[in-house]
Every structure is written in structure tokens, then in C-alpha cells.
Amino acid sequence: MAAASQRRSTALVVFSTGFILLWLILAAFPFLWTLWGSFKVQGDFFSRADWMNAITGPLTTEQTGGPFTGEGYWGAWVESGFWRNVVNTGIVVVCTVVISLTLGTLGGYALARSGFRYAFWLLMIALVFRAMPHITLVSGYLLPFFQWNLWGHLPTTIIVLVAINQPFTLWMLHSFFLNIPKDLDESAMVDGCTRFQAFRLVIIPVMWPGVITTGLFSFLLAYNDFAVTAMLLSSENQTMIPRIASFLGSVQQEGNVMFAVAAVVSATAPLFVLILFFQRQIVSGLTAGAVKG
Amino acid sequence: MPHRTFIWFILPSLAAMILFIALPIVSVVVQSLYVEHEQVLVTVENCGPFGCTEETRVDRDATAELREAQPLGRFNGLGTYFNRAHLATAEIAEAWATSDSLGAFWDRVMNLPFYRALVFTLAYTFIVTPLVVILGLAIALGVNALPRIFRGVTIFFSLLPMIVTPLIGSLVLFWMIDAEGVIGATLQILFDDPDLSLKASPALTWITLFIYGVWSSAPFAFIVYYAGLQTVPEETLEAAMIDGASRWERIRYVVIPHLAPLTVFIMLIQFMDNFRVFEPIVGFQAQASATSLSYIIYSDLRGDVQQFGSAAATSVLTIIGVAILLTPVLIRTWRDFNRKRA
């Protein structure tokens, strides 16, 4: 069904396919390499002699009796207690996503349905807030949080992440609600619903695609955050990412870099699964802001 | 929607933003006007068999008490902004007066921590952003030419560098470029130089960080452009062909103008995100050769003695930078908004 304008010369097809293959290798190879290498011993993953050792693993066979070893994972998860950080990450991420979506749907709906000038200004302010580097905000929190004994706890971090998430959530849900026809909730109000009832009974049942997409990005923001979680959590409440960063310092001296490698692979795995299942939503979310705004 | 209802709907979200984004900005401004207390010194007289000596020492209890009573520190006005760790006006003036060439002046400015970080942050922002746009467009054009069944897989793997946590992405690359890692070792063989190390030279570290930046953000530009390419009007392309336009001319005069609004969007998001570059510097352990504004705030807050005043002053200067960067966008949006209303 290729239209005439889509037909290409062979040379061009070869060139563009080659280019895409090159890009795919650049994009995926580092992760596959690290995944494979995480089942080797350090002498193979960082091999002075020959990088092929990381693939075949002669030292791994010599030291552990098999070409693959789970030592890095055992060391990270059990010996270093990485499982506790995984649990913390779970708590932080789930709470952040749920709370920010609740606040965001209410706010986004209001912004999409209000025709007044101040709605536009609120969106502009949200845009400016989105541009604030997170670490500048953190330097504003630290001293008051120390004074009020709020520092170091999970709920503090959750509420901070929710707030940092809000500008983005508002923008995204605002553009999704603009796509839901106004007539829908207005006819409900003609039938005697209040604005909130119209929102609850008419809008909530049809808003899920937009909410799920926005939720994915809230998840990524909370999961990938380093600046806030590294500065606001005490060491026993740390989430995965700051823990991996602090691994680096201690682990390199002890010669246990493989613990960090295993932790890095463990933290990447959920993201991999996320793309696998939600690729369509991620793509539509990335473009929603662009095409409509 | 009436004002009252609007307020109730937006209140929770607005309250969160005011409490945890607007007030911290105020808090940063206030903190930047204060510096840590100096240590309280006491002079004690020690009298021994050979006469009396006077000794000055730090009164720890009094210092702790003072810090407890006034946690903000003592008022310093704008002093912190102009000291050596920030705008360093005195040092700049001195360097300008005594350096005999521009190069020498530049070297001395680059030794000041704030300017070092500022120059790296700006270089990162203005080099990575255009490269991301170009690479993203190239990938989008390439993927668009692929047969349909391969596109899903391609998009799946392309998303990885962008979705993965920045700190993790940079660590993965950092281990690979290690002299004993696969890329580092290969480069040593390629250039036949067993001492080649990407971590040792500042220039190579900067290039590594730029490459990481392009690698991790190009998928974003790619996805946005790819979606835009699906909506290029087929009729216009055919009309251009009938008029005798070559393939390149069709891309230049039909496709690229169609994608122009998307470019503005990508650049805006990229400017915002690249200006706060931070995690890669931690991941690549590059602080010796490259620091960014976000990084120096982080290191002020992390040190043995937390320098809240210093971090706050840098934060305020960073926020001013963000404001300057965003002004053209805001003016443009404001004009568009007024045109739509009119």
C-alpha cells in the first residue's frame, strides 16, 4: 500500500536501515551487556586481559564452578540488605502515584473546564515550577525539615514528590480532559447533577486511559528520582537509587563492585517490564503534550 | 465553571504546589541572606608556676547553643552572593586588572567554582539540546521507513535509554568506559594507547557527559517526531512530487515545516531538563573535571558541615538562570494566548 511518495531507492533503504540498526545497538547493548555481566565475577566483568572474558567467563567458572553465578545478587539483596530499599521504593512510588493522580485529576479537570484567564496563568506558573531544578527546592526544604523533625521519614518524601509531580500531572491531565467533550458533563448538570456529581458519575468512568498514561509518568518520576530521595531520607529509610549511589563509595574499596552491578540490574528490571506492557501508553503520553499544546 | 467550584477542585493540588514549590523558593531566598555562625571564641588565662599565658580557644558548648538558638545563622545580606564561591566579583575584577591576555583571564575565571559550574551547565544545555533534536529526527525518519512489523521492537529498545533512571544509565556506561570495561579497553586498542582513560582528561570527561546526554534524551525527540510524521499530509507530499521536488526537497519543504511546532516543544523540555544536569556527574564520578550548578548545590548540602547559606545562594542564582531561559517561551505563549482570545 506504499504510496508513490513513500517509494525509495535501494541505496537509501540500506543506509537508513543500517543507521537504525546502529542506533538500536547503541540503545540496547549497554543494558544487555550489564545484564549478562551481572552473573559473572568481577575479574570477568572488568577484565584486564580480554573483554571476551566477560562473555565466556573463565574466571567465573574457575571460582564458582559454573559459567554463571548469583553471588552479586546474593551479596546485594541479602548481605547488604538491598531488599529493604526495594520495599521502601515500593511504598514511596505507590503512595506518590496514587496521591498525585487524585490531586491531579481534580485540578486538571477544573483547569480544562474553566474558561477564565486565571486558569491560563495557573498553567503558566505550573510550567515555571516544572522547570525548577529539584535540588534547589531541596536546599529550601532541608533546614526547616531539620527544625521541625520532619527529615528522614518516608511520608515527608512522598508528599514532596507529589508536589514536585503536580505541575507535570496538571498539564498532562488538563490536555486529556480537554479532549473529553464538554457536552458530556454539562448535560449531566442539566439533568440536576452538581459539578462534583457530574465529575464523579460521568467523567471518572471515561477518564482512565488518560489517568493511566499520566500515572506511568508519575511512576517514572518517583522511581527515577535521586535528588530528593538522596537528600531527604535517613539511611535506614533509603530507596533504591540513593542506596545504589552510596553502594559505590563503600563497595569499591571492598572489591564488591558486583553487588552494585547486581543492584543496578535489579532496579532496571521493573522499568523493562513497564515498557514491555505499556509501550503504547508511554508513546501516546510523550506526544500528548506536543501535538495538542 | 464558577469561581467557587474551581477553587475547591484545584485547592489540593494548588496547596501542594504552594507549600512545597513556592515556599521553598522563598525559604531559599531567606537562607541565602544568612551564613553559619562563627565559632564562639573564649580567652582563658592559664596560670602556672612560670607565670600566666593567655590562650584563645573554641567554646564548643556556646557555639552549639548559639547554633541551636538561631539555626539560620547570622545575617550576611548579599555577602554570600559576592564571595569567592559564588559571583566572586572581587576575584574577577582582580583577574581582569592583572591578567595580560584574555586566555589568562579565562583560566583564572574557570578556577572559580561557580563559573566553572555555570560554563559546564550552559555548554551542556546548548550542545546537547540541538544534537538531541537532530539525532531524534534522523531516527524518526529512519524508523518511519522501516516495514511496519519491525517498528514496535525498534521503539521498545529505543525507549530504554530514556526510561531508565539517569543515575543507573550513567553507571552502566561508566562501567563500560572503565579502562577494564569493554568500551574503555576497545578504545585503548583502537588508539594503540594503553594509558588512554576517558576519566583522566577534563575534555574527554566533558565529551563523555555530552554523549551520555544525547544518548539518554534522543529517544524522547525520536518518539515525538515519529508521532508527528504519522500526520504529515499525504496530499501535500504528492503535490510536491508532481511539482518535481526531489526526496530531500520534500523533507526540507514539507516534512520539516510540518514538524516545526514539535521542535519548539522538544527544545523547551530539553532546555529545562538539561539545565538541571546532575545525576550523570554523580554516576560518572566526574566532579573533578565537570561540575554543574545542581551539583555544587548538592555538594554544599552534603559536606561534613552543611553550608545552607552557600547552597541557597547558588540555588537563587540557578533559579534566576531558569527564569532567563524561560522568558522567551513565556512571552511567546502569552502572545499566542492573546491572539487566540482576540
Side-chain angles (χ1 to χ4, degrees):
Chain A
M1 61 159 264
S5 61
Q6 299 279 319
R7 212 170 292 139
R8 280 147 197 269
S9 66
T10 334
L12 201 69
V13 169
V14 170
F15 174 76
S16 84
T17 315
F19 174 71
I20 293 300
L21 273 178
L22 180 69
W23 160 250
L24 279 183
I25 292 169
L26 284 178
F29 174 68
F31 298 106
L32 300 177
W33 175 264
T34 311
L35 173 68
W36 184 266
S38 69
F39 293 101
K40 305 286 175 198
V41 295
Q42 192 179 339
D44 280 330
F45 189 58
F46 296 100
S47 180
R48 190 69 232 176
D50 181 6
W51 61 265
M52 277 295 287
N53 285 353
I55 297 178
T56 53
L59 279 176
T60 316
T61 320
E62 202 173 289
Q63 289 175 16
T64 63
F68 296 99
T69 171
E71 267 176 18
Y73 290 90
W74 175 261
W77 280 72
V78 182
E79 282 174 36
S80 313
F82 189 65
W83 63 270
R84 213 173 293 129
N85 309 107
V86 176
V87 172
N88 285 335
T89 299
I91 299 172
V92 168
V93 166
V94 168
C95 295
T96 307
V97 170
V98 170
I99 301 175
S100 53
L101 283 182
T102 314
L103 304 190
T105 34
L106 290 170
Y109 174 71
L111 288 172
R113 289 294 184 265
S114 168
F116 292 108
R117 192 174 275 252
Y118 55 70
F120 168 79
W121 281 112
L122 279 175
L123 281 171
M124 281 296 108
I125 292 171
L127 183 71
V128 175
F129 281 169
R130 188 205 174 283
M132 288 297 147
H134 298 168
I135 194 85
T136 63
L137 301 176
V138 169
S139 89
Y141 303 136
L142 272 182
L143 197 55
F145 283 3
F146 279 139
Q147 288 305 307
W148 301 328
N149 278 327
L150 292 173
W151 185 85
H153 309 296
L154 288 178
T156 318
T157 307
I158 291 170
I159 203 78
V160 164
L161 284 175
V162 166
I164 288 184
N165 232 333
Q166 275 308 299
F168 170 76
T169 317
L170 278 182
W171 263 93
M172 196 132 168
L173 285 169
H174 156 84
S175 67
F176 273 113
F177 281 122
L178 280 182
N179 276 0
I180 298 178
K182 253 185 184 167
D183 312 346
L184 218 57
D185 36 332
E186 270 165 14
S187 59
M189 285 168 69
V190 171
D191 289 345
C193 283
T194 64
R195 178 59 87 167
F196 188 74
Q197 280 171 328
F199 175 73
R200 195 162 59 91
L201 299 172
V202 181
I203 297 296
I204 287 186
V206 297
M207 74 180 184
W208 292 110
V211 171
I212 289 172
T213 306
T214 315
L216 280 172
F217 285 87
S218 303
F219 171 88
L220 286 177
L221 189 139
Y223 190 90
N224 288 346
D225 175 85
F226 174 66
V228 173
T229 47
M231 303 302 298
L232 290 187
L233 285 173
S234 55
S235 57
E236 63 267 26
N237 280 339
Q238 256 177 355
T239 53
M240 285 197 274
I241 307 300
R243 184 63 205 274
I244 289 173
S246 58
F247 255 158
L248 292 176
S250 61
V251 139
Q252 249 158 3
Q253 291 151 2
E254 299 159 12
N256 286 334
V257 182
M258 292 322 285
F259 288 11
V261 176
V264 156
V265 174
S266 314
T268 318
L271 297 172
F272 206 81
V273 176
L274 187 85
I275 311 181
L276 207 58
F277 285 102
F278 293 104
Q279 181 175 332
R280 190 178 298 269
Q281 281 83 354
I282 294 173
V283 170
S284 79
L286 282 178
T287 50
V291 180
K292 288 154 202 153
Chain B
M1 187 184 277
H3 301 300
R4 264 181 78 91
T5 334
F6 180 79
I7 291 286
W8 281 116
F9 267 95
I10 197 112
L11 192 66
S13 167
L14 200 62
M17 288 201 292
I18 289 176
L19 275 177
F20 291 99
I21 302 181
L23 283 184
I25 295 175
V26 177
S27 148
V28 160
V29 173
V30 173
Q31 283 184 50
S32 70
L33 301 177
Y34 288 82
V35 285
E36 288 75 25
H37 291 290
E38 281 167 346
Q39 290 172 320
V40 182
L41 300 177
V42 283
T43 311
V44 276
E45 209 175 20
N46 287 326
C47 285
F50 306 107
C52 293
T53 49
E54 281 201 345
E55 188 191 8
T56 310
R57 58 191 170 94
V58 176
D59 186 339
R60 287 183 190 283
D61 294 338
T63 309
E65 201 175 303
L66 183 61
R67 291 205 172 137
E68 187 70 29
Q70 292 168 298
L72 260 180
R74 63 197 159 83
F75 187 73
N76 191 32
L78 293 176
T80 314
Y81 287 97
F82 295 107
N83 71 11
R84 191 182 180 280
H86 299 91
L87 290 176
T89 37
E91 282 81 0
I92 295 267
E94 205 243 35
W96 182 250
T98 54
S99 304
D100 21 302
S101 71
L102 263 183
F105 173 69
W106 179 251
D107 285 344
R108 295 180 63 173
V109 170
M110 284 300 283
N111 275 329
L112 299 165
F114 177 78
Y115 290 98
R116 238 163 67 90
L118 181 69
V119 168
F120 176 76
T121 310
L122 289 177
Y124 186 88
T125 311
F126 287 98
I127 290 175
V128 169
T129 308
L131 290 179
V132 162
V133 167
I134 294 167
L135 183 62
L137 180 62
I139 300 172
L141 288 171
V143 172
N144 205 34
L146 285 180
R148 219 161 258 283
I149 42 164
F150 294 126
R151 291 187 191 175
V153 187
T154 314
I155 293 175
F156 174 81
F157 284 111
S158 300
L159 282 174
L160 277 173
M162 177 189 70
I163 298 284
V164 165
T165 316
L167 187 76
I168 287 184
S170 44
L171 271 178
V172 164
L173 292 191
F174 178 70
W175 287 326
M176 292 175 78
I177 63 164
D178 188 281
E180 297 174 1
V182 56
I183 297 178
T186 311
L187 284 179
Q188 285 180 348
I189 295 169
L190 274 182
F191 290 97
D192 200 19
D193 176 4
D195 298 322
L196 181 73
S197 162
L198 290 176
K199 298 169 191 170
S201 111
L204 288 178
T205 308
W206 279 42
I207 292 173
T208 312
L209 288 170
F210 292 160
I211 290 176
Y212 166 79
V214 176
W215 177 75
S216 63
S217 303
F220 167 68
F222 152 55
I223 294 292
V224 174
Y225 278 134
Y226 177 72
L229 283 176
Q230 311 308 310
T231 61
V232 172
E234 193 67 26
E235 297 81 12
T236 323
L237 278 177
E238 271 169 30
M241 258 184 77
I242 293 166
D243 289 346
S246 69
R247 172 170 306 282
W248 168 244
E249 282 169 336
R250 266 175 282 148
I251 291 184
R252 171 69 191 79
Y253 293 105
V254 181
V255 176
I256 289 184
H258 180 77
L259 297 178
L262 299 183
T263 309
V264 174
F265 167 76
I266 295 170
M267 301 268 276
L268 169 67
I269 300 284
Q270 282 299 306
F271 273 135
M272 292 202 267
D273 289 353
N274 290 336
F275 195 74
R276 59 178 167 219
V277 50
F278 166 52
E279 282 102 335
I281 295 176
V282 179
F284 282 102
Q285 297 171 16
Q287 55 274 29
S289 331
T291 53
S292 70
L293 292 174
S294 288
Y295 187 85
I296 55 176
I297 300 173
Y298 171 79
S299 67
D300 270 348
L301 292 173
R302 270 211 92 98
D304 292 333
V305 182
Q306 294 180 311
Q307 295 171 302
F308 293 116
S310 170
T314 316
S315 299
V316 172
L317 293 170
T318 310
I319 291 173
I320 293 172
V322 170
I324 293 173
L325 214 59
L326 275 187
T327 316
V329 181
L330 290 182
I331 292 175
R332 194 192 143 107
T333 321
W334 172 236
R335 277 208 209 110
D336 284 357
F337 177 70
N338 276 339
R339 206 177 304 141
K340 263 184 226 162
R341 284 174 69 95

